Amino acid sequence: MNEDDDLGALCAGAGRGLAEAERPVLERHGLSMWQYVVLSALAAGAAPSQLVLAQQIRYDKTRLIALLDALEAEGLVAREPDPADRRARVVRLTPEGTRRHAAVRAAIREVEERKLAGLPPETRRLLRSALAHLANSP
């Protein structure tokens, strides 16, 4: 691949390479990539409902239940009835979920640093900014 390739192909290739490099980190911590995505979303604050969480992470809401069941069984997340709507569940990290997320995030940052080692700090910052823009634009 080179910089003249389509942006989608470049992002897909970069994403696959990062996912492969991060997979051993996640396995050491007993998490799948989607479980880590959930923990990362919840690290920013409790989700007001499972539906909102599914929308935030762009994950199928029907498959999210099994993912949350597994995380809850490990003591990493808690689901509690929403006081404003007893049918909805507020999802939050537990203290163990916060600890595990922080450990995995630190290890993943080390992987990212190795991958980005040849780029100057300003280029790294611009890359993160550009990718965040792409990820959040309609």
Side-chain angles (χ1 to χ4, degrees):
M1 300 201 110
N2 64 60
E3 64 187 52
D4 291 332
D5 287 342
D6 291 338
L7 198 50
L10 290 170
C11 287
R16 280 191 303 274
L18 284 168
E20 280 301 311
E22 293 169 358
R23 183 170 287 116
V25 170
L26 294 168
E27 287 173 355
R28 278 195 306 275
H29 290 275
L31 294 174
S32 70
M33 180 59 79
W34 276 111
Q35 288 173 324
Y36 177 68
V37 168
V38 168
L39 296 182
S40 295
L42 294 176
S49 71
Q50 294 173 164
L51 176 60
V52 169
L53 177 60
Q55 291 167 339
Q56 287 173 342
I57 65 171
R58 297 179 180 165
Y59 193 72
D60 182 337
K61 66 183 179 193
T62 61
R63 295 179 57 208
L64 181 64
I65 303 304
L67 202 59
L68 291 174
D69 286 347
L71 290 169
E72 191 171 38
E74 287 203 40
L76 303 178
V77 301
R79 292 180 279 188
E80 299 159 351
D82 181 347
D85 179 358
R86 304 293 283 171
R87 295 168 298 169
R89 298 268 183 210
V90 176
V91 186
R92 64 171 178 76
L93 285 181
T94 63
E96 175 59 19
T98 299
R99 186 205 62 74
R100 177 103 52 104
H101 176 261
V104 175
R105 182 173 167 83
I108 283 177
R109 288 297 174 143
E110 289 175 16
V111 169
E112 291 173 352
E113 286 302 310
R114 285 193 301 274
K115 288 285 217 179
L116 297 173
L119 298 174
E122 179 62 12
T123 302
R124 293 177 191 197
R125 189 192 67 71
L126 289 171
L127 175 62
R128 285 185 182 279
S129 177
L131 289 173
H133 174 78
L134 286 172
N136 295 312
S137 64

